[in-house]
Amino acid sequence: NEMWRYRALRALKLEQPERALENFRFAAKYGDKFSQHALSLMHWHGVGTPVDRAQAYAWADLAAERGYRDLLLLREKMWMELDARGRAQALLLGEEMYAHYGDALAKPRMEWAMRRALANATGSRLGFEKDRIRFMAGHRFPVRATEGLGVSEQHYFADEGWKPGSYWREQDRQWEAQVIVLPPEPLPD
């Protein structure tokens, strides 16, 4: 999820919102609440996609699934701005989305991906180096050696990156310290 989130944020920086939307969706499949939150805002404001307030609410509801205060407040703000038709549509979309992106499926999917990635992290025992990870001081995320960057070994192998319980606790800790700043909205005259 972190890789897809990073790619999505990079795409936004490069003014490629459609690509960012796609990458945020990939990250959202692994229970990434930041990406689900970003998707809600992109659909709400029409960034890389037409404005779809019902879809935005469904993403906001997924993002708020773990009870993070700021995400709950944003979800409720969106709900209050939907009309009856939009609310009904959002509830239908939400059912479909929970069946694919909800924590009941996303967390096991992420935990499987963590186990698989850790097993493949060291490269080939036969000396093949194309996909090896380079460890360097000061970097948090792994980057393939062919990209010329790296990650600190201490951060890469920390429990919060590989042990599901520690990982989910770290995610909770980060959201407890998070403050969401919404874009300014024009006030009526």
Side-chain angles (χ1 to χ4, degrees):
N1 69 331
E2 292 178 14
M3 175 187 71
W4 292 112
R5 183 185 340 130
Y6 171 80
R7 288 179 179 176
L9 291 169
R10 181 165 166 69
L12 281 177
K13 185 175 182 177
L14 297 173
E15 298 183 15
Q16 299 171 342
E18 295 84 7
R19 190 175 197 176
L21 204 65
E22 180 182 347
N23 288 325
F24 278 134
R25 276 194 201 104
F26 283 127
K29 281 177 42 179
Y30 297 96
D32 187 62
K33 298 306 176 188
F34 179 90
S35 295
Q36 293 170 356
H37 165 65
L39 287 164
S40 75
L41 293 177
M42 292 178 79
H43 283 281
W44 190 265
H45 295 287
V47 177
T49 185
V51 170
D52 185 341
R53 299 277 167 99
Q55 180 95 340
Y57 176 82
W59 281 115
D61 191 49
L62 274 168
E65 180 178 17
R66 294 186 199 139
Y68 302 138
R69 183 180 181 277
D70 286 344
L71 297 179
L72 287 168
L73 291 172
L74 178 63
R75 180 193 69 185
E76 294 309 304
K77 180 183 185 297
M78 288 180 171
W79 182 258
M80 291 184 336
E81 293 188 28
L82 292 175
D83 59 16
R85 185 171 177 237
R87 288 177 179 182
Q89 185 181 7
L91 293 175
L92 287 174
L93 286 169
E95 286 182 33
E96 293 174 26
M97 291 170 70
Y98 268 93
H100 189 68
Y101 295 97
D103 277 352
L105 292 174
K107 280 186 166 185
R109 185 182 296 133
M110 178 62 180
E111 292 165 9
W112 173 84
M114 289 164 58
R115 286 188 302 274
R116 184 171 178 248
L118 184 60
N120 292 322
T122 57
S124 169
R125 290 183 180 88
L126 301 176
F128 184 67
E129 294 190 12
K130 183 178 185 310
D131 288 331
R132 282 198 181 201
I133 293 172
R134 179 180 294 165
F135 293 105
M136 296 176 64
H139 293 279
R140 168 65 179 103
F141 301 108
V143 181
R144 298 291 174 207
T146 55
E147 295 178 30
L149 299 172
V151 63
S152 90
E153 195 170 347
Q154 175 187 2
H155 284 108
Y156 186 75
F157 288 110
D159 285 353
E160 62 267 7
W162 299 108
K163 292 187 178 178
S166 297
Y167 176 80
W168 298 118
R169 279 190 298 280
E170 177 63 15
Q171 295 299 302
D172 291 343
R173 187 195 65 72
Q174 288 177 14
W175 274 105
E176 289 168 4
Q178 193 85 4
V179 174
I180 296 174
V181 178
L182 298 175
E185 295 181 20
L187 296 173
D189 292 337

